[in-house]
Amino acid sequence: MVRGTREAGTYRFMNLPYDRGQMGMMGMGMGSGPNTPAAPEQLASLVYAGQAESFWALPEALGVVEPLPTPSVTRSFRLGESMMSFTINGRTFDARRVDTVVKLDTVEDWEFENPTDMDHPMHIHTNPFQVVAADGQAIPAWKDVVVVRSRSKVRVRIRFEDFVGPTLYHCHILDHEDLGMMGRLDVRE
Ligand SMILES: [Cu+2]
């Protein structure tokens, strides 16, 4: 989303460098794909004129999000890299294999541990989650992606609310998920 709140004119839409770490010698530079330029590069021009119109009144406040309650299960997901693959708990993705089974209408904590040299933005399909702060309390804001920085851990809290069936979680960097950093999650009654 781009907000046209400045002076009318022509603006550049840029792809900026982001240091997400390096794979080390074995990876031969793999993993720093075309979406991470070495220098800023222009993707498009945006031209606008006149004043923006308001289509509706904005609400005074955002909706209230309650922090998720204490989880019944805690799981660990250890992220890994090897020469030609990216892994979760040592395995690359296989659509026929069920990696994680959860029970409908329960709350779980998922801890992503990233001992690698690269950042991994982890995405969970279907159910949004809340990030758990250092004090163990969930931060009351819904997310579907969280960046797990190199050599760090992130804990998220998730409720499996109403969907039953297979779904997925994966690193949101395209080359990482294509090389295996994805798991299948089955929600069962
Ligand atoms: Cu990744």
Side-chain angles (χ1 to χ4, degrees):
M1 183 167 69
V2 178
R3 297 183 68 186
T5 51
R6 296 199 210 165
E7 297 284 293
T10 301
Y11 292 87
R12 295 174 300 160
F13 190 65
M14 305 296 292
N15 189 16
L16 299 177
Y18 173 81
D19 180 8
R20 65 188 197 197
Q22 290 296 325
M23 265 208 62
M25 301 268 297
M26 298 230 301
M28 313 274 226
M30 202 175 59
S32 53
N35 55 342
T36 58
E41 59 184 27
Q42 185 172 346
L43 297 176
S45 288
L46 178 67
V47 181
Y48 68 88
Q51 292 293 310
E53 287 176 34
S54 279
F55 294 98
W56 55 77
L58 291 174
E60 298 277 306
L62 297 174
V64 175
V65 177
E66 299 290 342
L68 285 172
T70 308
S72 54
V73 175
T74 298
R75 296 175 200 272
S76 296
F77 298 86
R78 190 176 161 88
L79 310 177
E81 295 166 5
S82 64
M83 198 182 312
M84 290 304 289
S85 64
F86 288 84
T87 57
I88 300 176
N89 289 337
R91 302 195 286 199
T92 55
F93 179 65
D94 179 345
R96 294 157 297 182
R97 185 189 66 224
V98 181
D99 298 292
T100 309
V101 177
V102 302
K103 197 163 164 26
L104 183 68
D105 204 25
T106 60
V107 176
E108 296 198 0
D109 268 10
W110 285 19
E111 184 168 80
F112 293 106
E113 182 190 358
N114 180 8
T116 76
D117 293 326
M118 304 184 80
D119 297 351
H120 297 291
M122 298 305 295
H123 174 49
I124 305 174
H125 282 218
T126 312
N127 291 284
F129 56 79
Q130 297 176 1
V131 174
V132 178
D135 66 0
Q137 298 297 306
I139 298 166
W142 295 116
K143 290 185 172 289
D144 69 357
V145 180
V146 66
V147 178
V148 187
R149 302 246 176 239
S150 170
R151 306 197 183 287
S152 75
K153 290 179 187 178
V154 173
R155 185 181 281 246
V156 302
R157 192 159 293 166
I158 181 167
R159 174 187 277 146
F160 302 99
E161 195 142 12
D162 51 19
F163 173 82
V164 174
T167 183
L168 295 166
Y169 49 91
H170 60 88
C171 175
H172 224 303
I173 293 174
L174 195 59
D175 38 334
H176 296 186
E177 62 181 293
D178 282 354
L179 289 167
M181 194 173 268
M182 177 150 63
R184 177 173 156 182
L185 162 68
D186 276 16
V187 183
R188 297 184 185 165
E189 287 186 89

